[in-house]
Amino acid sequence: MKQQLEQIRSAAIAEIQAADTSLEEIRIKYLGKKGELTAILRGMGSLSAEERPVIGAVANEVRNCIESALEKRGAELKKIALANSLAAEKLDVTYDAIAPKAGHIHPITRAMERMTEIFIDMGFSVAEGPEVETVYNNFDALNAPADHPSRDFQDTFYITENTLLRTQTSPVQIRAMRNATPPIRIISPGRVYRSDVADASHSPMFHQLEGLVVDKGITMGDLKGILSQFAKTMFGPETKTRFRPHNFPFTEPSAEVDVSCFVCGGKGCRLCKGEGWMEILGSGMVHPEVLRAGGIDPDVYTGFAFGMGVERVAMVMSGIDDLRLMYENDARFLKQF
Ligand code: DAH
């Protein structure tokens, strides 16, 4: 029996030392209720009174020995598992990170910021006005009479009888004149709305940049000087400007302004559609009635004003020929700029 016990001990120890996962099975196999050691202890009843304490002592020693081997190996296995998981889950902080996908400034915003910057450098400050405007500021104060076609429901989004989504940034002129005494030198970039069906050159919402200068002795020469300088800074020093007579209710005289095509220099190309010139804005000397509506005496002061299409400038700068592309927000398109 003693020999049997010794065999159990060495077999158990060998198994325990070789185990690399759970030790529970081994424990049950030897020390469990139906285990090998337990079976031997049960058979002790058949031993003589002298043998029983001797074998009992050996059996106890074998049990202790197996238990401590289990404990020791258990601790080792825990350490190994920890080391393995530390190795497997290691974070290499020197590894190149995956760069987050950053967007960039929209071509319209970029054009607007650049235009604003150029006028700020020439001494203008930025004035703001609401997109929901009074009919009075948007039309009447700007000398657009009640029968002016742009006032039609077909062309303008009315909110109420007296308020609308502004159709132009020009009402900011009225607000600026009422808020300050000359000299006034402001620009006002922002959104405007017209009841147009979207196509390659129309959108129910677009952007304008308004400008207004009012002081004593302002002439058409100042208008031409400022706008020519703007065109050179914006499109390049070789850029020429062309002032074509036009008609706006709020200016007299009025002019539309073209810039020479910065791609072909005026010879005619795809970008300028063979014209050599590209129209970018409307302008003129502020009408005396408009000065009056702004609370300014037209016998003392004169001024000039202009309104540019921001989309037009952005499209010209980036060679984009369909306005709708600007608003579809397709990242594949926007990424190109
Ligand atoms: N408001 C005009 C438009 O939307 C543009 C414009 C023309 C603005 C002449 C002006 C100006 O200030 O003087 O077509």
Side-chain angles (χ1 to χ4, degrees):
M1 201 169 255
K2 197 174 166 201
Q3 218 176 353
Q4 252 178 314
L5 283 169
E6 288 303 337
Q7 262 170 17
I8 289 174
R9 185 214 303 258
S10 51
I13 300 282
E15 262 182 71
I16 290 166
Q17 268 160 10
D20 56 7
T21 52
S22 169
L23 297 171
E24 188 56 13
E25 265 175 44
I26 301 175
R27 197 186 63 76
I28 292 168
K29 180 173 169 192
Y30 292 101
L31 306 180
K33 273 186 198 150
K34 293 174 187 161
E36 292 182 22
L37 188 63
T38 319
I40 298 236
L41 292 173
R42 266 199 209 113
M44 275 178 43
S46 60
L47 293 175
S48 67
E50 298 87 61
E51 274 178 317
R52 215 176 287 155
V54 180
I55 297 298
V58 175
N60 266 339
E61 202 219 309
V62 169
R63 163 182 285 275
N64 289 341
C65 185
I66 295 175
E67 273 174 353
S68 70
L70 281 168
E71 207 172 294
K72 199 173 144 218
R73 185 64 185 157
E76 274 169 20
L77 287 179
K78 252 192 201 160
K79 253 193 210 161
I80 292 170
L82 181 65
N84 281 345
S85 74
L86 281 178
E89 292 160 24
K90 191 165 73 177
L91 251 190
D92 183 352
V93 292
T94 67
Y95 198 75
D96 272 351
I98 299 165
K101 279 188 192 150
H104 63 76
I105 300 203
H106 192 280
I108 293 176
T109 310
R110 199 177 35 205
M112 197 146 78
E113 284 178 353
R114 180 72 187 124
M115 290 155 85
T116 302
E117 199 174 76
I118 294 172
F119 284 108
I120 285 176
D121 285 351
M122 292 196 285
F124 287 72
S125 52
V126 176
E128 283 186 273
E131 290 171 28
V132 175
E133 217 358 316
T134 60
V135 171
Y136 177 80
N137 282 349
N138 193 83
F139 289 127
D140 303 86
L142 290 167
N143 204 30
D147 59 357
H148 196 274
S150 64
R151 297 180 66 139
D152 199 281
F153 288 119
Q154 301 281 320
D155 299 309
T156 299
F157 294 114
Y158 285 84
I159 306 284
T160 65
E161 207 181 318
N162 301 318
T163 52
L164 43 65
L165 292 180
R166 66 180 181 188
T167 62
Q168 47 190 355
T169 44
S170 304
V172 183
Q173 290 186 31
I174 303 297
R175 292 175 177 272
M177 286 190 282
R178 288 212 206 101
N179 279 338
T181 47
I184 294 169
R185 230 181 285 121
I186 58 108
I187 52 160
S188 188
R191 289 193 190 95
V192 301
Y193 302 85
R194 291 184 196 176
S195 179
D196 280 327
V197 175
D199 65 21
S201 56
H202 291 84
S203 160
M205 185 283 300
F206 58 102
H207 299 76
Q208 290 187 333
L209 184 137
E210 193 77 14
L212 174 71
V213 173
V214 180
D215 201 355
K216 286 179 181 155
I218 295 291
T219 70
M220 191 93 185
D222 297 307
L223 180 158
K224 291 184 81 171
I226 289 284
L227 293 177
S228 306
Q229 186 54 50
F230 165 79
K232 284 184 169 48
T233 316
M234 187 83 204
F235 301 111
E238 308 300 322
T239 310
K240 292 194 245 342
T241 36
R242 183 169 79 172
F243 294 76
R244 274 184 294 102
H246 200 77
N247 173 57
F248 297 106
F250 33 84
T251 44
E252 183 58 37
S254 305
E256 280 193 322
V257 179
D258 304 332
V259 292
S260 58
C261 176
F262 66 97
V263 170
C264 63
K267 287 198 243 10
C269 70
R270 208 178 68 86
L271 185 65
C272 59
K273 301 195 175 72
E275 299 273 324
W277 296 93
M278 293 179 296
E279 184 200 319
I280 58 157
L281 63 91
S283 66
M285 299 306 291
V286 183
H287 196 288
E289 285 304 329
V290 175
L291 288 173
R292 247 178 234 125
I296 287 171
D297 184 350
D299 292 329
V300 181
Y301 295 102
T302 50
F304 70 84
F306 55 88
M308 286 187 210
V310 178
E311 276 78 356
R312 266 211 75 79
V313 171
M315 287 166 81
V316 162
M317 278 169 67
S318 311
I320 300 166
D321 59 5
D322 192 324
L323 184 57
R324 287 166 293 193
L325 291 168
M326 301 270 222
Y327 304 119
E328 280 167 4
N329 286 339
D330 184 330
R332 290 167 302 178
F333 168 77
L334 295 171
K335 258 200 302 221
Q336 301 171 58
F337 306 101

